[in-house]
Amino acid sequence: MEKQSLEPTFAKLRPLGHAERYSATRSDLGIYLNVALTARYKTSGKVAVKPALFHALTTLIAKHPILSTIPWATETTKPYFVRLPTLDLDHVVSFFEDDANEEWRDFVDKVLEKEHNTPFESRAGTSLLPFWRLSVINHLNILDTFTLIFVFHHSLMDTQSAHSFHQELEEYMHRYSGQDLPVNTVICPSTTLLPPLEEMCNLSISDSFHLSQSTYHEPSPESWTGAPQSTPVKTRFRSIWLTEKDTRVLRNSSMRNKCSVTATLQALLAHSIFAALPSQYTILQGDCAVSLRRFLPQPIEATSLGCYVGSLSVVYHRKPTFDWDDAFHTKKAIRETLAMEGRDMPVGYLSSISDMRSWMREKLTKKRAAAFELSNIGTGLNAKPGGDGSHFRIESMLFSQSSSACSAAIKISVITGPDGNIALGFSW
């Protein structure tokens, strides 16, 4: 983020919470930059995209104050949020066409790879910028469709929040009648920010868990963890879109074996990575992100935007073929972690770190702990505003994120779109 003197027009808001501070610091150090949630829309062609989108964004900015705030003083031990006075949507949203000679998914992958290597800045010329942005891609070979890429800073929200953002955006675009003239410059609301995670959830940690987090354990030679933690980070990205048949087989197999799709995917990924590695590697650690939103009281609701996520780790051992026992083991680990309702999680350990920058810099050059990380935000957006008669309807979705210098070597981001098909985004 650009370092500039704090302007008098900026309103100083609350301090960053521990998870927010973690995300702001690693972004500031170039360790991990951003997250994206992408939606491909079907449109009736009867309503122009830009005015409908700007109308929807104006409504969302008025409803969610986090969309007009940015983390500030991230180079210090006491960062805080500030509110931008206005947002110029012409500087937040970009419009362009794809390459008619390239398959649309390949083109979107290239755009996402570029986005995940582009940090957020607080200013473009004289315009102040939020820590989120949108790209609208018009597909030349696919009539009546466009792709909308929402890129955001992880200190502002988690991917469940981005999912809600897309759902509301679809709804407000559908409601746009074309009669109200949307504005390009939006005056930001003065609404109070929602409290950070630790003020709403018990993130206490035991002495033994504190010791496990504060002590560096060198991975064994049999454990593959990719390259050592280092900067600069150059994200590579590719997506895999499962067909309707493949998605159905995965779901049915998971149900038949009494496993969740997340647990099955985690075990499948471990087996697939083993298959690509030399036989000397017999151990893999797989991390798994879990939403803590279910444990949070009011004022947190389904549509609240914020960062409410934790994580867990599972160790896998090489086997000659895929073994459902690994999926059961993963399901058990997820169930036991959720039963703790936020206690003894890495996100809770963050409260013990006074100097986040020094702590993260100490990780650099050391071996990673995890080979891969799975983040599955599941299924959503099934209810389509206006049904088949909607002017704007999301058909499919893709979840992606930057690679990181200080976590798993491979990140796999998973979402099931309104079409019922699973998409996987691989970052490394």
Side-chain angles (χ1 to χ4, degrees):
M1 182 173 78
E2 293 178 353
K3 306 302 177 188
Q4 304 168 60
S5 60
L6 187 63
E7 298 185 16
T9 51
F10 282 5
K12 183 177 179 179
L13 306 177
R14 67 165 174 80
L16 269 66
H18 302 311
E20 296 163 342
R21 185 162 54 100
Y22 170 77
S23 290
T25 301
R26 62 179 179 166
S27 176
D28 206 34
L29 294 175
I31 289 171
Y32 175 97
L33 297 184
N34 54 46
V35 192
L37 194 57
T38 300
R40 190 176 79 157
Y41 272 80
K42 181 74 174 178
T43 174
S44 67
K46 297 178 180 179
V47 177
V49 173
K50 183 175 180 178
L53 177 59
F54 278 25
H55 166 80
L57 287 173
T58 301
T59 306
L60 279 171
I61 292 167
K63 181 177 180 180
H64 299 290
I66 196 66
L67 293 174
S68 53
T69 64
I70 60 174
W72 202 266
T74 53
E75 73 281 4
T76 73
T77 57
K78 295 182 179 180
Y80 52 91
F81 284 114
V82 297
R83 178 183 299 115
L84 302 179
T86 60
L87 293 182
D88 185 342
L89 296 183
D90 280 324
H91 284 91
V92 178
V93 185
S94 58
F95 296 84
F96 54 93
E97 295 179 339
D98 66 2
D99 184 346
N101 297 316
E102 191 169 15
E103 206 274 333
W104 73 270
R105 289 173 178 167
D106 293 335
F107 184 83
V108 169
D109 280 1
K110 289 181 179 179
V111 174
L112 284 169
E113 184 170 288
K114 181 180 178 181
E115 288 287 354
H116 289 311
N117 285 292
T118 305
F120 286 101
E121 302 290 351
S122 60
R123 186 183 293 277
T126 59
S127 294
L128 300 171
L129 300 177
F131 273 27
W132 57 271
R133 55 182 178 258
L134 289 172
S135 295
V136 180
I137 305 172
N138 179 40
H139 298 296
L140 299 177
N141 292 333
I142 312 174
L143 297 178
D144 302 327
T145 64
F146 65 91
T147 293
L148 193 154
I149 299 175
F150 175 45
V151 183
F152 58 96
H153 196 285
H154 217 336
S155 68
L156 302 187
M157 66 186 83
D158 54 28
T159 316
Q160 288 286 353
S161 301
H163 211 194
S164 175
F165 174 94
H166 269 289
Q167 189 165 22
E168 290 190 274
L169 196 68
E170 180 190 38
E171 178 183 351
Y172 292 133
M173 288 181 70
H174 166 68
R175 290 184 187 179
Y176 179 65
S177 63
Q179 297 176 349
D180 299 327
L181 188 64
V183 296
N184 293 4
T185 301
V186 181
I187 298 175
C188 299
S190 57
T191 316
T192 303
L193 284 181
L194 292 169
L197 175 63
E198 61 269 20
E199 291 186 14
M200 299 175 292
C201 186
N202 180 8
L203 298 178
S204 61
I205 58 174
S206 62
D207 291 342
S208 60
F209 187 81
H210 184 279
L211 181 62
S212 70
Q213 294 293 299
S214 59
T215 305
Y216 172 69
H217 301 280
E218 177 90 11
S220 69
E222 295 80 22
S223 179
W224 183 82
T225 59
Q229 302 172 116
S230 63
T231 56
V233 176
K234 169 65 176 178
T235 294
R236 298 293 307 279
F237 176 78
R238 291 293 183 273
S239 64
I240 294 178
W241 303 68
L242 300 191
T243 64
E244 183 178 356
K245 178 182 177 181
D246 290 338
T247 300
R248 185 170 61 251
V249 168
L250 177 61
R251 284 205 190 101
N252 292 343
S253 297
S254 299
M255 291 177 61
R256 189 165 55 250
N257 288 278
K258 299 181 180 179
C259 275
S260 66
V261 169
T262 297
T264 303
L265 278 173
Q266 184 96 349
L268 279 170
L269 287 164
H271 176 70
S272 299
I273 294 172
F274 273 129
L277 293 174
S279 59
Q280 69 194 66
Y281 295 108
T282 59
I283 302 172
L284 292 176
Q285 177 178 310
D287 293 346
C288 184
V290 292
S291 175
L292 300 177
R293 189 179 293 252
R294 70 197 76 189
F295 307 123
L296 305 184
Q298 291 291 329
I300 303 305
E301 300 174 341
T303 58
S304 298
L305 305 189
C307 195
Y308 315 119
V309 67
S311 62
L312 61 99
S313 299
V314 182
V315 174
Y316 301 90
H317 297 272
R318 182 185 286 273
K319 296 178 181 179
T321 59
F322 174 75
D323 191 335
W324 279 100
D325 283 345
D326 286 338
F328 298 144
H329 176 51
T330 306
K331 179 184 176 181
K332 181 174 181 286
I334 295 172
R335 184 175 65 246
E336 291 175 347
T337 298
L338 291 176
M340 296 292 286
E341 299 186 0
R343 300 185 300 278
D344 276 358
M345 272 193 175
V347 69
Y349 174 72
L350 296 177
S351 64
S352 304
I353 303 167
S354 57
D355 189 341
M356 193 77 71
R357 292 174 75 86
S358 296
W359 176 71
M360 299 196 78
R361 280 175 170 152
E362 288 175 0
K363 291 177 176 290
L364 298 176
T365 73
K366 296 179 180 178
K367 288 187 177 181
R368 302 170 190 267
F372 69 99
E373 173 189 298
L374 174 67
S375 300
N376 181 13
I377 57 175
T379 305
L381 297 168
N382 290 320
K384 301 175 179 61
D388 292 335
S390 175
H391 292 304
F392 301 99
R393 187 175 75 250
I394 295 176
E395 290 189 315
S396 57
M397 302 193 78
L398 175 63
F399 169 25
S400 60
Q401 56 184 311
S402 297
S403 57
S404 174
C406 290
S407 58
I410 306 169
K411 291 183 180 290
I412 305 97
S413 308
V414 183
I415 187 169
T416 304
D419 55 4
N421 297 338
I422 292 175
L424 301 93
F426 289 80
S427 305
W428 70 97

